[in-house]
Amino acid sequence: MASAAFEEIVEDFEFLDDWEDRYGMVIDMGKAMAPLDEALKVPATKVEGCASQVWLHPEIEGHTFRFRGDSDAMIVRGLIAVLGALYNDLPVDKVGAVDASAELGRLGLNEHLSSQRSNGVRAMVERIRKLAAAAC
């Protein structure tokens, strides 16, 4: 159930043999992402359970789910970009059906993130699901 944007990331990862190159690609995705407006970096958008500072702001239009996010850590900004590719532009009622763990596993992220980062990704996924469920 992955989006075309996420499938493109999967394909790009398949061409990168070295995890360091993949890690670099995730960081580059974070660098390319527009920063979240400072006015949106408030307690209501902050994700608890992340070692870094993370904010996710939903932008639901009609029945289409989107979010924007930011972090003070470059790798986490990249992970937010990956999650954006996975979830953005889905019908809001389909967000909860995405098996994020399995999809991210296709990128090999499960094996290469520290336990702290993995916990942070889980916290971000949970927040995304809650935001979508609240919009249904």
Side-chain angles (χ1 to χ4, degrees), residues 2-133:
S3 69
F6 187 79
E7 290 300 335
E8 195 172 305
I9 295 169
V10 171
E11 288 176 20
D12 289 345
F13 266 49
E14 288 173 357
F15 287 107
L16 300 173
D17 295 327
D18 187 310
W19 174 249
E20 292 300 317
D21 292 336
R22 293 176 177 191
Y23 198 75
M25 182 180 158
V26 171
I27 290 172
D28 288 345
M29 290 173 64
K31 288 179 181 177
M33 192 172 65
L36 191 63
D37 213 347
E38 289 298 318
L40 297 175
K41 293 180 181 179
V42 296
T45 62
K46 189 168 185 215
V47 178
E48 298 299 327
C50 296
S52 305
Q53 300 287 314
V54 177
W55 300 269
L56 298 178
H57 175 70
E59 297 177 334
I60 297 159
E61 205 171 295
H63 295 289
T64 303
F65 181 82
R66 289 191 61 74
F67 77 90
R68 291 187 305 128
D70 208 344
S71 176
D72 60 353
M74 286 312 288
I75 185 63
V76 178
R77 279 181 58 86
L79 293 170
I80 293 167
V82 169
L83 290 174
L86 184 59
Y87 287 107
N88 283 343
D89 298 322
L90 287 178
V92 72
D93 61 340
K94 301 294 184 199
V95 170
V98 173
D99 185 346
S101 180
E103 294 297 343
L104 295 174
R106 294 172 59 204
L107 299 177
L109 289 176
N110 299 341
E111 302 96 51
H112 294 283
L113 293 178
S114 68
S115 61
Q116 221 172 16
R117 290 270 188 256
S118 293
N119 289 338
V121 169
R122 278 191 291 278
M124 287 188 282
V125 167
E126 188 59 32
R127 171 60 72 87
I128 289 166
R129 288 176 176 222
K130 285 181 181 177
L131 292 170

